[in-house]
Amino acid sequence: MKVQSICAGLIVVAGLISVSASAAQNQVSARATAEIIGCTDPAISGTARLIERRSANGIKVIDVRLFVQGLPEGRHAVHIHEVASCQPCAAAGGHFDPGPNGNSSPDGNHPFHLGDLINVVVTPSGRGRLRTKTTRFTLSPGPLSLFDSDGSVFIIHADPDTFCPAGPVPGCAGGARVACGIVEPDR
Ligand SMILES: [Cu+2]
């Protein structure tokens, strides 16, 4: 009995060590939320959540979760845009793309902007969910942070993002802006 209980204790200790090692690798370093509103249509609403974790290599990985309702069925482009303003949605500026070759034109560097994400798929019920990961931007301070001097927003577009295979053809990144949400750090 005694040997068995010592063995059981060692197994528990080993389990705790391995759990704490993986927890350190996936430690949440920041969280943020954006409340999505329609650019002109008050029937559109939703929420986006961003969670930043450190990978085993020290890379900041962002989990992106977005829910939206009130949009037409189909795929809709989703990006982070460069200015924290939804009034009007055009005030959000171009795609978030800090750096020496940053945003010279809205579609000019598409789909290589740091704020470029994937399409959200909206069902016939008008609801859409998006889940993805990115290492292109961060929430914590640094050169890729969404919380730069003018903040950042989510923009959802009327049309799908084609990722512009033929270059900057007008509308190739999703066309008109239909919904917007200012990214706010969770307190
Ligand atoms: Cu956009």
Side-chain angles (χ1 to χ4, degrees):
M1 280 301 277
K2 201 168 184 181
V3 171
Q4 279 178 342
S5 93
I6 291 170
C7 286
L10 288 174
I11 289 166
V12 169
V13 169
L16 288 174
I17 290 169
S18 98
V19 166
S20 80
S22 71
Q25 287 170 10
N26 284 309
Q27 202 168 31
V28 174
S29 40
R31 294 175 192 266
T33 303
E35 296 301 328
I36 306 289
I37 56 171
C39 290
T40 55
D41 182 352
I44 300 172
S45 64
T47 306
R49 295 194 195 285
L50 300 169
I51 300 176
E52 179 186 284
R53 301 174 199 275
R54 300 295 178 108
S55 75
N57 293 319
I59 300 296
K60 297 171 182 174
V61 181
I62 311 289
D63 289 319
V64 181
R65 305 273 184 274
L66 180 144
F67 170 75
V68 65
Q69 58 189 354
L71 284 177
E73 178 184 5
R75 293 180 301 135
H76 297 266
V78 179
H79 316 116
I80 302 290
H81 282 239
E82 61 186 345
V83 181
S85 179
C86 298
Q87 303 287 334
C89 285
H95 297 172
F96 177 72
D97 203 29
N101 300 316
N103 230 323
S104 50
S105 69
D107 292 344
N109 191 33
H110 202 70
F112 302 108
H113 305 107
L114 302 187
D116 294 343
L117 293 168
I118 58 174
N119 291 301
V120 61
V121 179
V122 174
T123 66
S125 70
R127 297 191 180 96
R129 290 180 196 281
L130 177 154
R131 293 171 70 103
T132 188
K133 288 180 190 290
T134 181
T135 58
R136 291 187 180 190
F137 55 78
T138 70
L139 303 179
S140 57
L144 310 183
S145 178
L146 296 190
F147 300 116
D148 55 8
S149 60
D150 56 6
S152 304
V153 294
F154 274 86
I155 292 283
I156 304 176
H157 292 263
D159 299 319
D161 195 332
T162 65
F163 307 108
C164 303
V169 176
C172 68
R177 302 172 184 198
V178 293
C180 183
I182 295 175
V183 183
E184 308 265 15
D186 288 6
R187 302 288 178 197

